[in-house]
Amino acid sequence: MAEPTWERMGRCARLAWEHGVESFENASRPRSALMTGHLLLGVIRHPECAGGLMLRRLGIDMALAASITEFELLHGRPLPDHAERVFALWGKPHTPEALRTMELSLAEAEQFHSAYPIGTEHILLGLLAIPESAGCRTMAYFGVDYAKARAARDEIWELLKLTE
């Protein structure tokens, strides 16, 4: 699978990723790498972007979702047999699931067009495609899965087809 390049990141995706990095770097409980929960928190913290609009369309209380995600990042414990592997992306360490999320976000964007920028909607769909990820499990807690999120994205994108 292709690794996304920084140039493919849209404005909102950059902001979300940077927010995730900031959450990772300023955490009161340090982690060895940026996790899908950090990426989800970045999407949640930008409700004006497509990923945030999708979550709000699905009835998610964004403040509660942010609090639950922060709680999970602070208190979540890896399984004892979980071998911590770290992969670098844009100079920051990522868990395998976080790296895969970003790779899947590129694939999601390319379903629309080969040059379409990665947006927060693609990051959200990417992490929802990895059931074992912390971000996906957090969204499952709120009743959000890949199919529901894709349907919400499609509804929002339908609004973008202007006829005038």
Side-chain angles (χ1 to χ4, degrees):
M1 182 167 285
E3 190 174 287
T5 62
W6 188 248
E7 295 75 33
R8 287 294 301 272
M9 297 284 281
R11 181 187 65 82
C12 282
R14 286 178 189 219
L15 290 171
W17 184 82
E18 288 169 351
H19 187 95
V21 168
E22 181 181 321
S23 298
F24 161 69
E25 291 177 340
N26 296 323
S28 57
R29 180 169 181 235
R31 299 287 181 175
S32 62
L34 192 118
M35 300 169 56
T36 57
H38 295 107
L39 297 174
L40 176 59
L41 196 56
V43 171
I44 291 169
R45 293 289 186 208
H46 295 281
E48 73 285 358
C49 295
L53 293 173
M54 289 164 55
L55 291 174
R56 290 178 26 218
R57 174 74 177 100
L58 292 167
I60 301 302
D61 177 328
M62 300 297 270
L64 179 60
S67 294
I68 295 270
T69 304
E70 289 169 345
F71 179 82
E72 179 183 27
L73 288 167
L74 181 61
H75 299 289
R77 305 280 189 269
L79 296 173
D81 63 347
H82 179 71
E84 191 108 20
R85 292 168 292 150
V86 176
F87 299 90
L89 178 65
W90 305 319
K92 301 295 178 186
H94 287 63
T95 63
E97 295 81 7
L99 178 63
R100 181 131 171 80
T101 294
M102 296 311 297
E103 292 169 344
L104 290 170
S105 70
L106 175 62
E108 287 287 344
E110 287 183 341
Q111 285 185 18
F112 184 71
H113 185 278
S114 63
Y116 198 81
I118 297 168
T120 55
E121 68 273 30
H122 305 119
I123 295 172
L124 180 60
L125 289 169
L127 72 85
L128 288 170
I130 307 172
E132 68 276 10
S133 72
C136 185
R137 287 193 330 271
T138 302
M139 286 290 89
Y141 174 81
F142 288 97
V144 175
D145 62 21
Y146 183 85
K148 288 178 184 175
R150 182 172 283 288
R153 193 272 326 258
D154 292 347
E155 289 175 11
I156 291 169
W157 278 15
E158 194 62 35
L159 295 173
L160 301 178
K161 295 179 181 175
L162 300 177
T163 57
E164 54 184 59

